[in-house]
Amino acid sequence: MNRAFSRKKDKTWMHTPEALSKHYIPYNAKFLGSTEVEQPKGTEVVRDAVRKLKFARHIKKSEGQKTPKVELQISIYGVKILDPKTKEVQHNCQLHRISFCADDKTDKRIFTFICKDSESNKHLCYVFDSEKCAEEITLTIGQAFDLAYRKFLESGGKDVETRKQIAGLQKRIQELETENTELKNKVQDLENQLRITQVHGSPAGSVTPKSPSTDIFDMVPFSPISPQSSTPTRNGTQPPPVPSRSTEIKRDLFGAEPFDPFSCGAGDFPPDIQSKLDEMQEGFKMGLTLEGTVFCLDPLDSRC
């Protein structure tokens, strides 16, 4: 796996950016398995992992077990490993967590990559067997990393401070809304107590209680959650109903669908968006070593 890889020699990538950005590139392969490794990079690291998994697969094969087939779906959101029949996702490997990717030049069927596990933070080496596409799959992962890195810099990496400020403002707005609700409740309690005092402190029939529709200043109290008035307009028609805000569409702080390195589901984000951006920044900053050559773009923006 010592063949050097140079982007300068490869003038064009194998796929269009749209194919990896809007869709994915599927590949079929056999999955030898994954094993923990001590380092996130290194030819010797993946070589030892390949030997270990090949030996384990040989033992299972002698026992009558077949090497399972999988489908790989590669896009800017990561590498999915699925069951080819049921399409059940077995592993999600986000691109910013993949640090090393290589195809074996001594055994051209074998390719592998190292990915940091999202739960245990351990580095796992995934090994596959592809009869014809081992090198192509390796290069496709490299291209997806390139595009994902650019997307991160454009949509997230340069906006970290802005997102932090907006998140702080949103938190403050929520606090003010809570305080406002508490004050309204206190005012309502005082109004009720005043009405009770006026009723019990005046002779019977001498005081007409105030209409509950006005406050102590004879003003109609404002309530943002009061039901919509059904009073018709001057021409006798009912006013159009006010559309309610839809809560089904989940957006990020800028009103756009949040960028996820693997899937677009907002539910995959942790509550602290800053920690997510920091994690992605660190992952992309490490770069992707592709067959022994560090593969990354320009340094991360100094404002990040």
Side-chain angles (χ1 to χ4, degrees), residues 237-251:
T237 60
Q238 292 288 344
V242 178
S244 60
R245 292 185 177 181
S246 174
T247 58
E248 296 180 357
I249 301 178
K250 298 181 179 179
R251 305 285 183 177

Side-chain angles (χ1 to χ4, degrees), residues 143-208:
Q143 181 183 5
F145 186 92
D146 182 345
L147 294 172
Y149 191 4
R150 292 179 185 273
K151 182 176 178 67
F152 173 73
L153 291 179
E154 293 172 358
S155 64
K158 294 182 179 180
D159 297 328
V160 173
E161 291 301 324
T162 303
R163 287 172 181 257
K164 286 175 64 178
Q165 294 176 4
I166 292 178
L169 290 174
Q170 285 194 334
K171 182 178 180 180
R172 181 55 181 161
I173 290 174
Q174 292 176 352
E175 293 175 351
L176 291 174
E177 289 178 346
T178 301
E179 293 176 4
N180 188 33
T181 301
E182 293 176 352
L183 289 174
K184 287 181 179 179
N185 292 335
K186 290 181 179 179
V187 170
Q188 187 64 45
D189 291 339
L190 290 174
E191 291 177 359
N192 294 336
Q193 293 177 9
L194 182 58
R195 293 192 187 100
I196 294 175
T197 302
Q198 290 175 340
V199 170
H200 291 284
S202 302
S206 62
V207 177
T208 303

Side-chain angles (χ1 to χ4, degrees), residues 55-72:
F55 179 77
R57 183 54 55 188
H58 179 74
I59 297 298
K60 292 182 179 180
K61 188 176 181 180
S62 65
E63 297 175 349
Q65 300 183 27
K66 295 183 178 180
T67 304
K69 296 180 180 180
V70 295
E71 177 182 335
L72 300 178

Side-chain angles (χ1 to χ4, degrees), residues 123-141:
H123 296 287
L124 301 178
C125 183
Y126 294 81
V127 179
F128 304 86
D129 182 332
S130 177
E131 184 176 356
K132 299 179 180 180
C133 301
E135 183 176 9
E136 180 179 338
I137 294 173
T138 300
L139 297 179
T140 301
I141 294 177

Side-chain angles (χ1 to χ4, degrees), residues 5-21:
F5 174 79
S6 174
R7 288 188 60 215
K8 296 180 180 179
K9 295 180 181 179
D10 295 78
K11 297 181 180 180
T12 59
W13 288 110
M14 303 186 65
H15 308 285
T16 63
E18 292 75 16
L20 289 164
S21 299

Side-chain angles (χ1 to χ4, degrees), residues 196-298:
I196 294 175
T197 302
Q198 290 175 340
V199 170
H200 291 284
S202 302
S206 62
V207 177
T208 303
K210 289 182 176 291
S211 171
S213 62
T214 60
D215 60 14
I216 57 177
F217 303 103
D218 289 330
M219 299 290 291
V220 177
F222 170 75
S223 176
I225 58 175
S226 60
Q228 183 182 355
S229 173
S230 59
T231 304
T233 57
R234 291 183 178 180
N235 58 7
T237 60
Q238 292 288 344
V242 178
S244 60
R245 292 185 177 181
S246 174
T247 58
E248 296 180 357
I249 301 178
K250 298 181 179 179
R251 305 285 183 177
D252 66 5
L253 299 177
F254 301 98
E257 292 185 7
F259 170 73
D260 189 305
F262 189 77
S263 66
C264 294
D268 294 336
F269 278 95
D272 184 3
I273 189 173
Q274 179 59 33
S275 65
K276 183 66 177 179
L277 290 172
D278 289 343
E279 175 197 333
M280 293 176 63
Q281 179 176 337
E282 289 299 319
F284 281 122
K285 186 176 181 180
M286 177 182 291
L288 171 64
T289 300
L290 198 64
E291 299 183 326
T293 299
V294 175
F295 175 87
C296 65
L297 305 180
D298 298 330

